[in-house]
Amino acid sequence: MKRTTVVAVVLVFAVLVAGLVVGIVQFADDGGTLEEQWVSDTARDHTGNHHPVAVVERAGGADVIAPINDVGDDASMTPTSCALTSLDGGTGEIDWQAGMPIEHCHIHTFSDPRIADVTGDGTPDVLVGTGRRALVAYDGTDGSELWDRGFENIGYSRPVLVDLTDAPGEEVVAVDFRGNAYAVASDGTPLWHRALNGTVWAEPAVGDFTGDGTTEIAVGSAEGAVGSDEGVVLLAADGTVERRIDIPVFSMVDADVDADGRPELVVATPGNDGDVVAALDPESGERAWTVTTEGDPRVSAVGDGDGDGDPEAYVSVRGGRVVALDAASGDREWETEISVGGDTIVPAPSLGDVDGDDEPELAVAAANGLVAVLDPSSGDELAAYERDVPVLAPPTPGDIDGDGDEELLAIYSDGRVVALNYEA
């Protein structure tokens, strides 16, 4: 299925600090428009930013937390070249920045951020793995550092929250790039550390995966170090290994795909195992289904996008394609091409209610600068927006203006964040 025919093009010119950038709002014949709300003044010379933003929704508005990473020589770098940055959701203006010393500033300085009230004071904080080899909790109000927990390696994936102890509230589990898993109390006190020795890109998953009434943490690794096992590891609340499943993992999401009341794991594996997407039954360790793709599949969104009562897994594939799979069987429901380009990177799609009708739409981006809204029941393009800068991270849905529907926040590879409003 080709992209929906564009019947009108409007050029939206925004004069930005780095120069004149042209944003293209496209009108689809059966959809709507993606209108530029604002573009942040956070540009960097390096075009490799690929960690998504997070949205902190508040009464009447929101903040946008952007992990801005940079690369350069010492003479050109500053203490805020790499900075966890809070943007005003209404204007895109910088509220605060938590910088990183130059010696720890690189393209993976800040991981995917997690929003959580770790202090229990009723205001959101930010949890993020950092290039100084530590999990850091930042105050979400002013960016001050609350605590850190040392890592063996840099952070990459988003930390998760899980109830591990009898203490009130939840604890934090984070995994560094080399597969070391850490459990931390909400005040930063270390609880346990488990070395799994794999290369971990995927966010851990949390749930009762074995059906025994207890919570496990699923960690998926793409590559193993010498003498270690790659694949999915289930950890108990005390950090002990309960089970291993032999399948390399690049991205992973948990969902109850077969309506049995227990979550399964949907994983994507580019390159190592024939470029596959698979649904795993963590209790048995078996694959419920396996689908072969043609290159670099990524998955993070599973949900009932077509309203038929059954979930779909939405997968992006290098080259500009998006595929919808029946999450129970792996059968292809539709496939669409959002970008024409043999090696175009397409980050994993996102589900969000961008038109306020209480039903999800599918948001997807591509390395050619495109951000698009698709009909999740058919793959038809509803609206699109483009800048002449790559997008390497999934778009983040969030209600940044308090109007009841979600906007899309896309971080471009140059570090600028664009807020987009969908109008049907």
Side-chain angles (χ1 to χ4, degrees):
M1 182 184 302
K2 298 297 183 182
R3 292 178 54 189
T4 305
T5 302
V6 177
V7 298
V9 177
V10 176
L11 298 183
V12 179
F13 295 92
V15 180
L16 305 174
V17 172
L20 185 66
V21 176
V22 180
I24 303 176
V25 181
Q26 299 178 340
F27 294 75
D29 55 6
D30 58 352
T33 63
L34 272 178
E35 298 180 352
E36 183 182 287
Q37 302 276 84
W38 49 257
V39 180
S40 69
D41 183 17
T42 53
R44 301 295 190 267
D45 291 334
H46 184 74
T47 56
N49 279 277
H50 58 278
H51 289 276
V53 305
V55 175
V56 183
E57 295 187 7
R58 307 182 190 273
D63 298 325
V64 178
I65 306 299
I68 309 294
N69 300 318
D70 200 5
V71 174
D73 56 62
D74 290 347
S76 65
M77 302 288 273
T78 73
T80 56
S81 291
C82 292
L84 188 69
T85 304
S86 177
L87 305 171
D88 184 284
T91 65
E93 295 179 353
I94 296 174
D95 286 334
W96 54 257
Q97 294 186 94
M100 185 62 60
I102 294 173
E103 62 268 25
H104 300 302
C105 182
H106 49 73
I107 200 57
H108 298 305
T109 296
F110 293 102
S111 74
D112 299 1
R114 168 71 65 186
I115 309 302
D117 179 15
V118 296
T119 61
D121 63 357
T123 60
D125 305 303
V126 185
L127 295 161
V128 64
T130 66
R132 74 174 203 236
R133 299 191 174 192
L135 168 69
V136 181
Y138 293 96
D139 188 300
T141 303
D142 58 14
S144 59
E145 187 174 315
L146 300 173
W147 50 258
D148 69 358
R149 165 66 164 100
F151 278 173
E152 296 291 321
N153 208 284
I154 63 171
Y156 188 94
S157 61
R158 183 183 291 112
V160 295
L161 301 176
V162 57
D163 189 2
L164 299 176
T165 70
D166 294 332
E170 295 178 305
E171 288 71 42
V172 182
V173 173
V175 184
D176 70 21
F177 186 60
R178 288 304 179 193
N180 292 280
Y182 309 85
V184 183
S186 59
D187 63 357
T189 303
L191 298 176
W192 49 257
H193 165 218
R194 173 67 60 179
L196 303 176
N197 300 320
T199 301
V200 176
W201 309 91
E203 177 182 331
V206 176
D208 180 9
F209 295 113
T210 61
D212 64 356
T214 65
T215 298
E216 291 88 28
I217 303 104
V219 179
S221 64
E223 300 172 355
V226 175
S228 69
D229 296 323
E230 60 188 10
V232 177
V233 178
L234 296 185
L235 300 176
D238 62 0
T240 57
V241 175
E242 288 193 354
R243 180 159 299 142
R244 295 180 181 268
I245 303 173
D246 184 18
I247 180 172
V249 173
F250 184 88
S251 56
M252 177 175 68
V253 61
D254 62 285
D256 183 5
V257 303
D258 55 6
D260 66 351
R262 183 172 51 82
E264 286 75 37
L265 295 169
V266 180
V267 303
T269 303
N272 294 324
D273 196 23
D275 291 335
V276 302
V277 182
L280 309 179
D281 181 345
E283 183 174 10
S284 66
E286 301 296 323
R287 301 188 192 187
W289 50 259
T290 302
V291 173
T292 301
T293 67
E294 294 179 1
D296 202 8
R298 304 178 186 212
V299 61
S300 65
V302 176
D304 183 11
D306 56 12
D308 66 353
D310 299 317
E312 289 76 39
Y314 296 99
V315 180
S316 66
V317 181
R318 183 184 290 267
R321 291 183 295 120
V322 180
V323 182
L325 303 174
D326 183 302
S329 65
D331 294 339
R332 294 187 185 225
E333 296 193 357
W334 53 257
E335 181 173 328
T336 191
E337 187 176 73
I338 65 164
S339 171
V340 179
D343 201 39
T344 302
I345 294 173
V346 183
S350 307
L351 283 170
D353 180 12
V354 299
D355 60 5
D357 66 352
D358 295 325
E359 295 180 357
E361 287 72 44
L362 192 66
V364 64
N368 65 351
L370 175 78
V371 178
V373 177
L374 306 182
D375 183 336
S377 65
S378 64
D380 289 342
E381 182 183 290
L382 302 178
Y385 168 93
E386 292 184 67
R387 290 179 71 234
D388 191 21
V389 181
V391 188
L392 304 176
T396 301
D399 184 5
I400 61 173
D401 55 12
D403 65 353
D405 59 353
E406 294 183 308
E407 287 70 45
L408 293 179
L409 288 304
I411 184 168
Y412 279 75
S413 63
D414 62 356
R416 292 189 187 274
V417 180
V418 179
L420 300 170
N421 182 61
Y422 175 76
E423 290 290 347

